[in-house]
């Protein structure tokens, strides 16, 4: 019994020593600790290129390697710098950064978002002759470059907006400038046309070639209730009728749709008069209102007034002609006017009626 008490006393004396050496469950074997410790990491990038970094803690010097050509890595002490180029794709991309220190290795992802690029909400703009400043919103993640092709049209970038400045136009004639923008290789344009509607509405000469000879007729371009019409001055039965047309104010362009009705007889013959367009092979675009010809007006110094040539396409063929034709169940089809390579010349707002031929 006495010996048992002595053994118990010895165990009580030895236990603190055993706990301080091999008896602790919280003891960590330093040989199992990671050789590369990541202190901080900045490897998530926006589309615009920049440099991020990774700070490491190692017992031996660290080396770095990147798996993609659009990223590079350099090491200076315990800091690994990662530089990425601009991502001009809409899709994001990922590369791997491999760190090595002695026999230890760590692999980290490098992620870069895809570009988010918007476009201008419109491709053309009508500016007043008084001159003005206008802002156009455009989302862009990469630097946006803008330029113009006319001195009277200036542009700059402010945040997510393109600001244009249009100088006053002291002349009555139409002038047109183009704003071009580039963002990471993605390009677009804004056509700016400067004029007053009072110098567009009025009388026109509609000319072209018919049977090899130059010919034409007059009409008045009118605007009523925000809609545009052509009023023809002829001696035919469709004289003084209003034919609906479209007018693109941003581009200052008169647009004629094929199969547009002009006049419907009410005397029992039921003649119907239509505007049509023709393709290069002479086919008439009947029944196809989506076939259009358009004439962008601009100042022509030879004519000394606004001038525009009609152009259009239907499928893979250009539209080169203009026709006024009637159809009747009694007399069939009659063509009144058929012009090739049609154009229009502004004669004035009612005061000037001299045709500059």
């Amino acid at each position: 019994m006495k010996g048992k008490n002595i053994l118990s006393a010895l165990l009580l004396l030895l236990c603190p020593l055993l706990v301080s050496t091999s008896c602790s469950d919280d003891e960590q074997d330093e040989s199992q600790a990671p050789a590369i410790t990541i202190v901080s990491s900045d490897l998530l990038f926006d589309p615009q290129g920049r440099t991020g970094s990774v700070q490491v803690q190692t017992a031996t010097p660290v080396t770095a390697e990147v798996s993609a050509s659009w990223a590079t890595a350099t090491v200076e002490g315990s800091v690994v710098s990662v530089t990425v180029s601009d991502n001009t794709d809409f899709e994001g991309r990922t590369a791997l950064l491999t760190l090595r220190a002695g026999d230890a290795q760590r692999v980290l992802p490098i992620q870069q978002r895809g570009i988010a690029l918007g476009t201008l909400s419109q491709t053309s703009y009508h500016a007043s002759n008084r001159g003005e400043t206008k802002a156009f919103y455009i989302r862009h993640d990469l630097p946006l470059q803008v330029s113009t092709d006319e001195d009277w049209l200036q542009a700059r970038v402010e945040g997510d907006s393109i600001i244009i400045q249009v100088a006053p136009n002291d002349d009555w004639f139409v002038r047109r400038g183009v704003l071009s923008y580039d963002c990471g290789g993605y390009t677009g344009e804004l056509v700016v046309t400067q004029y007053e509607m009072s110098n567009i509405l009025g009388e026109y000469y509609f000319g072209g070639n018919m049977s090899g000879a130059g010919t034409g007729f007059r009409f008045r371009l009118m605007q009523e209730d925000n809609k545009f019409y052509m009023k023809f001055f002829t001696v035919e039965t469709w004289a003084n009728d209003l034919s609906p047309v479209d007018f693109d104010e941003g581009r200052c362009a008169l647009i004629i749709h094929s199969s547009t009705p002009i006049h419907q007889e009410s005397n029992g013959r039921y003649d119907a008069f239509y505007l049509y367009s023709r393709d290069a092979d002479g086919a008439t675009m009947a029944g196809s209102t989506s076939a259009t010809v358009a004439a962008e007006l601009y100042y022509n110094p030879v004519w000394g007034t606004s001038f525009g040539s009609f152009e259009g396409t239907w499928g893979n063929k250009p539209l080169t002609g203009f026709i006024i034709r009637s159809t009747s169940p009694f007399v069939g089809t009659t063509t009144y006017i058929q012009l090739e390579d049609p154009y229009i010349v502004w004669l004035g707002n009612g005061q000037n009626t001299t045709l500059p031929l």
Side-chain angles (χ1 to χ4, degrees):
M1 191 68 180
K2 184 178 180 180
K4 184 176 180 180
N5 292 335
I6 294 174
L7 180 60
S8 298
L10 289 173
L11 289 174
L12 290 173
L13 292 173
L14 291 174
C15 189
L17 180 61
L18 292 173
V19 170
S20 65
T21 55
S22 61
C23 292
S24 174
D25 293 333
D26 297 331
E27 178 68 19
Q28 183 178 16
D29 187 352
E30 291 184 0
S31 64
Q32 301 300 317
I36 303 176
T37 300
I38 306 300
V39 178
S40 63
S41 177
D42 176 22
L43 296 180
L44 178 60
F45 298 90
D46 289 330
Q48 187 171 355
R50 66 174 181 87
T51 298
S53 64
V54 178
Q55 186 174 359
V56 301
Q57 188 176 36
T58 62
T60 58
V62 65
T63 62
E65 180 181 345
V66 178
S67 64
S69 59
W70 50 267
T72 59
T74 58
V75 179
E76 185 174 350
S78 61
V79 176
V80 180
S81 297
V82 176
T83 301
V84 300
S85 60
D86 290 347
N87 184 9
T88 57
D89 292 329
F90 291 103
E91 297 293 330
R93 56 189 181 182
T94 301
L96 297 179
L97 171 66
T98 301
L99 306 176
R100 294 185 177 89
D103 295 332
Q105 175 178 298
R106 293 288 297 271
V107 178
L108 303 176
I110 303 171
Q111 296 176 300
Q112 187 176 24
R113 298 185 179 94
I115 184 176
L117 173 64
T119 57
L120 294 180
S121 59
Q122 57 195 91
T123 59
S124 61
Y125 179 69
H126 170 209
S128 166
N129 277 352
R130 296 186 300 272
E132 55 191 87
T133 299
K134 177 74 174 179
F136 298 88
Y137 172 79
I138 179 171
R139 164 73 187 276
H140 61 96
D141 287 332
L142 298 179
L144 186 65
Q145 307 296 327
V146 295
S147 62
T148 63
D149 63 348
E150 296 289 345
D151 292 339
W152 55 267
L153 176 62
Q154 300 295 321
R156 67 183 187 274
V157 178
E158 290 186 5
D160 281 341
S161 294
I162 295 177
I163 312 296
I164 66 168
Q165 288 181 296
V166 183
N169 184 8
D170 296 329
D171 297 312
W172 62 266
F173 56 81
V174 178
R175 63 181 182 182
R176 185 176 286 104
V178 178
L179 160 72
S180 301
Y181 60 92
D182 186 308
C183 183
Y186 296 93
T187 60
E189 289 185 346
L190 175 71
V191 177
V192 179
T193 311
Q194 189 175 25
Y195 62 96
E196 296 297 331
M197 285 303 302
S198 60
N199 298 131
I200 299 300
L201 300 174
E203 293 188 18
Y204 284 81
Y205 178 76
F206 203 141
N209 296 313
M210 185 172 179
S211 301
T215 187
F217 58 97
R218 293 171 184 257
F219 72 91
R220 176 180 288 275
L221 181 62
M222 305 173 61
Q223 184 181 21
E224 294 183 2
D225 298 327
N226 294 322
K227 295 181 180 180
F228 291 86
Y229 301 91
M230 295 172 65
K231 181 178 181 180
F232 298 98
F233 298 105
T234 72
V235 295
E236 305 294 345
T237 55
W238 38 270
N240 295 321
D241 277 51
L242 299 182
S243 175
V245 293
D246 286 340
F247 188 79
D248 185 336
E249 293 191 33
R251 291 183 174 271
C252 193
L254 181 64
I255 302 170
I256 298 176
H257 295 262
S258 194
S259 301
T260 297
I262 302 175
H263 177 79
Q264 181 75 49
E265 288 289 310
S266 59
N267 59 5
R269 295 182 58 201
Y270 302 106
D271 283 352
F273 294 82
Y274 293 91
L275 302 176
Y276 293 111
S277 51
R278 288 163 52 88
D279 65 18
D281 295 332
T284 302
M285 298 294 103
S288 303
T289 57
S290 58
T292 62
V293 289
E296 287 192 359
L297 292 168
Y298 66 95
Y299 178 74
N300 187 317
V302 175
W303 293 80
T305 185
S306 295
F307 175 91
S309 296
F310 279 97
E311 299 177 354
T313 57
W314 178 246
N316 58 355
K317 295 180 180 180
L319 299 178
T320 61
F322 174 84
I323 302 174
I324 293 181
R325 174 179 292 175
S326 71
T327 59
S328 168
F330 301 101
V331 297
T333 300
T334 302
T335 297
Y336 291 89
I337 290 179
Q338 179 174 316
L339 301 178
E340 295 300 325
D341 302 319
Y343 60 87
I344 55 175
V345 180
W346 190 66
L347 302 181
N349 54 16
Q351 304 300 320
N352 175 20
T353 57
T354 303
L355 185 63
L357 290 175

